[in-house]
């Protein structure tokens, strides 16, 4: 039996723009994505000789009944695609996911797990897939998976399949707030088709500020065209932004199609102080830094 332990970092959308609708029905996106230290951890055992087993639990070891532990789980699907693509026989696989990334948050929790399984299996099997085919396999699994395989900071285009790594040395500090409700991604895309955004991201300007370590001006450049649509559906998103700004965030924004909102802080101490003062209500609150 071969085993490996892999981390599955969450992602934040520092920018998200929709450029149009493609002939294949997907939306053409332009995003700046950032992997962060909030992560699931995954233990993979291959060649177990038994039937496929997948366990999803919280860090205290409690099962998570809302997350499917069968072929509907993206980690399971990623493993199937890996064995199909490589032709390596599946001689028994056990996957244990310790989940810290909240689901239905826009933090790519499921995609991060799928990407970690693809990376982990590829490493366990002696790297049969080079980065490009591994990324293409990820795209078959889900739009955010190619970025999650690469991690770090990246400009992501297409429906998520075109990932260009971006060098960003200064570490960024975030507080992530996840309200108890989720937001329908399909509803946001549908609303975006008939809505012209009042403001669109300037990703290059944001990158210039981040590279200079200028969190104050970077905060003003965060932009997600989904956010005004989400605020219309759930005014609580706007209230969480206000709360983060009142706690000293340089900028605050919803990630992806929500419902999590993050604040960008000037340093770890400011972020950790804000994190403590925002905890205690119905929202889940996390400190995270860029990885
Ligand atoms: P994204 O940012 O990619 O839109 P998300 O934060 O909206 O992701 P996920 O955490 O990926 O959402 O979960 C969405 C749904 O996917 C869950 O409600 C769950 O039913 C399903 N799912 C499948 N596999 C997983 C997994 N490994 N972890 C979490 N959810 C999963």
């Amino acid at each position: 039996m071969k085993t490996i332990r892999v981390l599955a970092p969450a992602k934040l959308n520092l920018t998200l723009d929709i450029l149009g609708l493609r002939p294949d029905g997907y939306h053409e996106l332009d995003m700046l994505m950032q992997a962060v230290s909030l992560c699931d951890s995954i233990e993979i055992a291959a060649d177990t000789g038994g039937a496929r087993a997948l366990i999803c639990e919280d860090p205290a070891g409690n099962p998570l009944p809302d997350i499917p532990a069968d072929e509907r789980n993206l980690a399971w699907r990623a493993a199937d695609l890996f064995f199909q693509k490589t032709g390596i026989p599946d001689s028994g696989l056990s996957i244990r996911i310790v989940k810290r990334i909240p689901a239905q948050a826009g933090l790519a929790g499921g995609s991060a797990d799928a990407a970690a399984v693809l990376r982990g299996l590829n490493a366990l099997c002696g790297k049969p897939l080079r980065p490009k085919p591994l990324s293409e396999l990820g795209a078959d699994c889900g739009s955010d998976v190619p970025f999650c395989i690469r991690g770090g900071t990246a400009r992501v285009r297409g429906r998520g399949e075109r990932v260009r790594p971006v060098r960003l040395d200064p570490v960024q500090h975030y507080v992530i707030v996840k309200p108890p409700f989720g937001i329908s991604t399909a509803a946001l895309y549908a609303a975006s088709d008939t809505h012209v955004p009042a403001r669109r991201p300037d990703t290059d300007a944001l990158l210039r500020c981040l590279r200079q370590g200028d969190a104050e001006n970077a905060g003003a450049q965060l932009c997600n065209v989904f956010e005004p649509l989400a605020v219309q559906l759930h005014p609580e998103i706007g209230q969480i932004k206000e709360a983060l700004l009142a706690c000293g965030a340089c900028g605050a924004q919803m990630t992806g199609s929500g419902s999590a909102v993050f604040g960008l802080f000037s340093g770890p101490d400011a972020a950790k102080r804000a994190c403590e003062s925002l905890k205690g209500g119905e929202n889940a609150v996390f400190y995270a830094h860029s990885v």
Side-chain angles (χ1 to χ4, degrees), residues 11 13 40 42 54 56 66-76 97 99 101-114 143-145 148 178 183 185 255-260:
K11 65 88 180 152
N13 285 95
D40 295 344
I42 304 189
L54 190 148
C56 253
D66 292 341
I67 304 209
D70 51 27
E71 65 281 355
R72 290 168 297 164
N73 195 298
L74 281 180
W76 184 299
I97 305 176
K99 281 215 78 79
I101 306 174
Q104 299 187 325
L107 294 166
S111 304
D113 295 346
S143 296
D144 288 337
V145 181
C148 292
K178 167 68 176 73
I183 300 179
T185 306
T255 175
S257 56
S259 60

Side-chain angles (χ1 to χ4, degrees), residues 44-285:
I44 304 171
D47 299 338
T48 61
R52 173 86 52 91
L54 190 148
I55 297 171
C56 253
E57 57 192 23
D58 72 12
N62 303 306
L64 296 168
D66 292 341
I67 304 209
D70 51 27
E71 65 281 355
R72 290 168 297 164
N73 195 298
L74 281 180
W76 184 299
R77 187 168 151 64
D80 282 345
L81 287 174
F82 178 83
F83 291 121
Q84 274 165 30
K85 172 91 176 182
T86 58
I88 294 171
D90 175 2
S91 34
L93 190 67
S94 156
I95 301 173
R96 180 167 162 265
I97 305 176
V98 177
K99 281 215 78 79
R100 295 182 195 82
I101 306 174
Q104 299 187 325
L107 294 166
S111 304
D113 295 346
V117 165
L118 289 178
R119 279 190 285 112
L121 279 177
N122 202 39
L124 269 185
C125 297
K127 301 238 171 109
L129 296 179
R130 311 268 307 153
K132 192 161 179 278
L134 193 65
S135 181
E136 286 165 1
L137 197 56
D140 291 341
C141 220
S143 296
D144 288 337
V145 181
F147 168 75
C148 292
I149 291 173
R150 181 66 183 67
T153 314
R155 188 85 178 248
V156 181
R157 294 189 170 97
R159 69 172 176 94
E161 73 280 17
R162 300 209 308 274
V163 178
R164 185 164 60 78
V166 168
R167 181 148 183 212
L168 192 56
D169 290 333
V171 175
Q172 271 80 51
H173 302 274
Y174 301 100
V175 173
I176 300 169
V177 180
K178 167 68 176 73
F181 57 87
I183 300 179
S184 157
T185 306
L188 285 190
Y189 271 117
S192 76
D193 288 339
T194 55
H195 177 268
V196 179
R199 184 176 161 239
R200 303 180 71 166
D202 183 345
T203 297
D204 293 326
L206 172 60
L207 274 171
R208 276 195 297 278
C209 298
L210 291 173
R211 287 198 173 110
Q212 289 161 7
D214 180 358
E216 204 61 53
N217 282 310
Q221 293 291 347
L222 298 171
C223 185
N224 175 352
V225 297
F226 274 143
E227 191 187 87
L229 305 170
V231 172
Q232 274 177 12
L233 293 172
H234 294 279
E236 297 95 322
I237 297 289
Q239 291 155 11
I240 295 171
K241 282 186 66 166
E242 291 305 321
L244 280 160
L245 294 169
C247 285
C250 302
Q253 175 180 274
M254 188 178 81
T255 175
S257 56
S259 60
V261 177
F262 65 92
L264 169 67
F265 287 80
S266 56
D269 295 343
K272 286 173 187 170
R273 271 197 306 275
C275 190
E276 286 315 307
S277 68
L278 290 165
K279 277 182 181 167
E282 59 175 359
N283 300 328
V285 185

